[in-house]
Amino acid sequence: AVKVKAKNQLEDLKREGEVKHLAFSASLLASGQGHTGPFNTEITLIFKHVVTNIGNAYNRETGLFTAPVRGVYHFEFHIFGHGSNNPTSAELVKNGEKVFMSWTSQPAGGQKASNGVSLLLEIGDVVFMRMWANSRIYDNQSHHTTFSGHLLFTM
Ligand SMILES: *[C@@H]1O[C@H](CO)[C@@H](O)[C@H](O)[C@H]1NC(C)=O
């Protein structure tokens, strides 16, 4: 029994060790340049240019980040736009509920809205970015519009 317990502990540690290192960073467009939106409804932003995805918790097909382990995670997002009648805005969503948002609006020129948050997530919690209705977001190969997340520590 002691041996089995030790083996289980080892496996737990191994599993924990696997998800201790978790980080992703992605920008919006896989290639080229262009505006996303405006749409008359909110949409999930799918950041397609993935530069880092240690632990594979970010899904580039769906834009969803799924926590593989209970812990405190830090997220940040930088949303760029060209000034117009449409604001540049997006919010970070956890399990369908808005957490923090960024919003900026001016008639002309470049503009950027940013925010960040540290969140205690349970295994399976889902975090993603949602663009507001009537918002317009720009990105190009300079990668202005980005979404990143990191596991700070497990709990
Ligand atoms: C990307 O967009 C910015 C802002 O419009 C512009 O200054 C920059 O030259 C563009 N970069 C590329 C690689 O197209």
Side-chain angles (χ1 to χ4, degrees):
V2 173
K3 216 170 156 190
V4 169
K5 205 177 160 203
K7 200 174 157 232
N8 287 345
Q9 264 172 6
L10 190 70
E11 261 157 22
D12 285 347
L13 281 176
K14 243 163 63 188
R15 216 171 304 132
E16 234 180 78
E18 272 163 19
V19 289
K20 252 185 195 139
H21 304 292
L22 203 140
F24 78 92
S25 271
S27 63
L28 194 58
L29 297 187
S31 62
Q33 55 100 22
H35 297 280
T36 301
F39 304 116
N40 59 17
T41 179
E42 58 195 23
I43 62 153
T44 298
L45 288 173
I46 301 174
F47 293 77
K48 299 216 177 253
H49 179 70
V50 178
V51 293
T52 306
N53 198 6
I54 310 297
N56 267 316
Y58 175 73
N59 184 326
R60 76 178 72 202
E61 307 300 325
T62 61
L64 306 184
F65 174 88
T66 307
V69 64
R70 184 174 197 265
V72 175
Y73 296 75
H74 184 75
F75 296 93
E76 61 181 85
F77 46 100
H78 302 272
I79 308 295
F80 181 80
H82 286 132
S84 71
N85 290 330
N86 301 101
T88 294
S89 62
E91 63 195 7
L92 184 136
V93 179
K94 174 189 160 186
N95 296 337
E97 284 185 17
K98 50 187 83 165
V99 179
F100 280 1
M101 68 119 21
S102 60
W103 187 96
T104 180
S105 181
Q106 60 181 28
Q111 57 187 3
K112 187 169 241 178
S114 299
N115 214 333
V117 61
S118 291
L119 286 176
L120 171 61
L121 298 182
E122 305 294 336
I123 293 174
D125 278 355
V126 172
V127 170
F128 64 94
M129 291 301 304
R130 187 155 68 191
M131 181 172 80
W132 278 30
N134 303 315
S135 172
R136 195 176 75 153
I137 291 173
Y138 181 80
D139 198 24
N140 65 15
Q141 293 313 293
S142 296
H143 310 301
H144 299 273
T145 296
T146 64
F147 178 37
S148 298
H150 323 96
L151 173 63
L152 296 179
F153 46 87
T154 55
M155 282 188 66

